[in-house]
Amino acid sequence: MTVTRLYLMTKQTIVQLERRIEFTRIPCVGEWLRFESSGLLPHEVTEVTHDEQGSAEVVVGVQRDERGQFIFHETAEDLQGDVDDLVASGWRVVSSKPNTAWGDV
């Protein structure tokens, strides 16, 4: 099982979710994943880390559009709806904090 982290955000809030997923093959940076349990668009793998014990961690980063601009949920309600759907399908919220990194982009 691979620890998989997913980031979703509005301009005000960023949420980190986590789930252990069994991949037939660990995805590579730059590949796209779509999670069946949500209506979310595919997300790009932005980081893959392997440790000495053979474990891996996959980070599915913040989405960008074709011009490289960050994609934000339009409202807090939209974000919460997607978070609720993901939690109902086995993801867990690791953190939910003010978006100080990308909120003014």
Side-chain angles (χ1 to χ4, degrees):
M1 299 292 266
T2 302
V3 173
T4 305
R5 297 184 192 279
L6 171 65
Y7 292 87
L8 302 175
M9 66 181 179
T10 64
K11 289 189 176 185
Q12 293 76 32
T13 305
I14 187 165
V15 178
Q16 178 188 12
L17 297 109
E18 180 180 285
R19 183 175 181 185
R20 292 186 160 285
I21 297 176
E22 187 170 343
F23 293 102
T24 54
R25 174 185 68 75
I26 301 297
C28 297
V29 170
E31 289 185 329
W32 293 82
L33 298 176
R34 182 180 197 113
F35 303 106
E36 293 179 21
S37 59
S38 71
L40 297 174
L41 297 172
H43 283 68
E44 185 175 7
V45 175
T46 58
E47 185 178 331
V48 177
T49 307
H50 299 269
D51 66 20
E52 292 99 20
Q53 289 78 37
S55 296
E57 179 176 291
V58 172
V59 175
V60 182
V62 175
Q63 289 180 293
R64 294 177 185 253
D65 65 16
E66 62 278 350
R67 297 170 309 186
Q69 300 295 312
F70 293 110
I71 296 175
F72 297 96
H73 283 74
E74 289 188 21
T75 67
E77 292 79 19
D78 292 338
L79 174 64
Q80 192 59 54
D82 283 340
V83 168
D84 291 345
D85 288 348
L86 289 162
V87 167
S89 69
W91 289 82
R92 88 180 164 91
V93 175
V94 175
S95 68
S96 179
K97 297 186 177 186
N99 184 0
T100 58
W102 297 297
D104 295 327
V105 176

